[in-house]
Amino acid sequence: MNNDNDQNNTEQTQNALSEGLSALTDYYLPDGMLMKSIELFAKMKGNVMELDSTLVNLAKTSGLSASELKQLTEEAFRMGDAFGRTGTEALSYITSASEAGYDMQQSLALAGEALKMSGISSGIDSAGDAIAYLQTLLGNLGEHTAFASTINDSLAGAAKHGSADFDTLAQGALTLSASADAAGISFEEMLGLLSGAYDVLKDMDQVAGGE
């Protein structure tokens, strides 16, 4: 019996608090803007903490000065706007490239293409994955970071005109790229071969692996 009374008292207290908070938000701000402001503040605080953590990691790997980090952060936010991402997300891509051993100019270029790639791909959707993919593929092809834009454009173009989607072609390209480069086959030619064979076999593992 006492348990029932305790439960009723608890429920009444919770209801009173809920009603009081609702009345407070309605009285002071329209449409519950107080709670929305609190939620926004909490989100901003989380974003600032994430940004601080990213900057600390970047400072460790890049050796940039405070003023250089400030300039880079501003550039990251411009890059984020260009690709529909937050500045912190863009900065995480730059950091991943820096951690992979690229200098700042290369990291910026590679981060931009990695952001583009993760916006197109459903499987390569994180900073680490996108940078690692491009780094491996560029290494297999013996190309520099400037070639990353060609990789994105060529994969997107081949996916548009064939039955293999972007991710399927990206998988095949990664598997076959070293062998194709050794045979003197260009990246674009390799994608054409992969796309044509996939149209027939419908199995990229079989196409790229020759099974």
Side-chain angles (χ1 to χ4, degrees), residues 85-114:
R85 309 290 281 272
T86 67
T88 303
E89 286 176 311
L91 196 60
S92 72
Y93 279 70
I94 297 170
T95 301
S96 291
S98 177
E99 290 173 343
Y102 294 99
D103 64 31
M104 262 314 105
Q105 185 175 359
Q106 294 171 330
S107 294
L108 282 167
L110 198 61
E113 292 304 323

Side-chain angles (χ1 to χ4, degrees), residues 65-78 108:
S65 66
S67 62
E68 289 172 328
L69 282 172
K70 180 178 180 295
Q71 292 175 356
L72 185 63
T73 301
E74 293 170 352
E75 178 62 31
F77 274 76
R78 285 192 290 270
L108 282 167

Side-chain angles (χ1 to χ4, degrees), residues 170-182:
Q171 170 202 339
L174 195 63
T175 302
L176 196 62
S177 53
S179 298
D181 184 65

Side-chain angles (χ1 to χ4, degrees), residues 34-47:
L34 176 61
M35 288 305 297
K36 292 177 183 177
S37 297
I38 292 172
E39 291 171 359
L40 178 60
F41 176 77
K43 183 178 180 181
M44 288 172 62
K45 182 179 178 182
N47 288 343

Side-chain angles (χ1 to χ4, degrees), residues 22 45 48-49 70 77 80 110 136 153 172:
S22 177
K45 182 179 178 182
V48 169
M49 291 175 66
K70 180 178 180 295
F77 274 76
L110 198 61
T136 301
D153 293 344

Side-chain angles (χ1 to χ4, degrees), residues 8-206:
N8 289 335
N9 289 336
T10 299
E11 290 176 353
Q12 289 171 3
T13 300
Q14 291 174 340
N15 290 337
L17 287 171
S18 177
E19 291 171 2
L21 183 58
S22 177
L24 181 66
T25 58
D26 290 341
Y27 181 79
Y28 285 106
L29 289 168
D31 300 325
M33 282 301 295
L34 176 61
M35 288 305 297
K36 292 177 183 177
S37 297
I38 292 172
E39 291 171 359
L40 178 60
F41 176 77
K43 183 178 180 181
M44 288 172 62
K45 182 179 178 182
N47 288 343
V48 169
M49 291 175 66
E50 183 182 356
L51 176 59
D52 284 345
S53 176
T54 304
L55 281 171
V56 168
N57 291 334
L58 183 58
K60 289 178 181 178
T61 59
S62 67
L64 295 176
S65 66
S67 62
E68 289 172 328
L69 282 172
K70 180 178 180 295
Q71 292 175 356
L72 185 63
T73 301
E74 293 170 352
E75 178 62 31
F77 274 76
R78 285 192 290 270
M79 184 183 293
D81 285 341
F83 290 100
R85 309 290 281 272
T86 67
T88 303
E89 286 176 311
L91 196 60
S92 72
Y93 279 70
I94 297 170
T95 301
S96 291
S98 177
E99 290 173 343
Y102 294 99
D103 64 31
M104 262 314 105
Q105 185 175 359
Q106 294 171 330
S107 294
L108 282 167
L110 198 61
E113 292 304 323
L115 278 164
K116 184 189 295 184
M117 174 170 281
S118 62
I120 300 171
S121 171
S122 59
I124 309 171
D125 56 358
S126 71
D129 288 346
I131 294 295
Y133 178 88
L134 287 171
Q135 182 183 30
T136 301
L137 191 54
L138 287 168
N140 289 349
L141 297 171
E143 295 286 355
H144 298 292
T145 53
F147 192 76
S149 61
T150 300
I151 290 174
N152 269 329
D153 293 344
S154 298
L155 283 170
K160 183 178 180 181
H161 295 103
S163 59
D165 63 19
F166 186 96
D167 284 340
T168 301
L169 286 169
Q171 170 202 339
L174 195 63
T175 302
L176 196 62
S177 53
S179 298
D181 184 65
I185 300 172
S186 72
F187 184 67
E188 293 85 348
E189 290 170 337
M190 179 191 68
L191 286 181
L193 293 172
L194 286 171
S195 183
Y198 184 85
D199 286 345
V200 176
L201 298 175
K202 305 299 182 185
D203 185 336
M204 188 54 75
D205 287 334
Q206 185 177 358

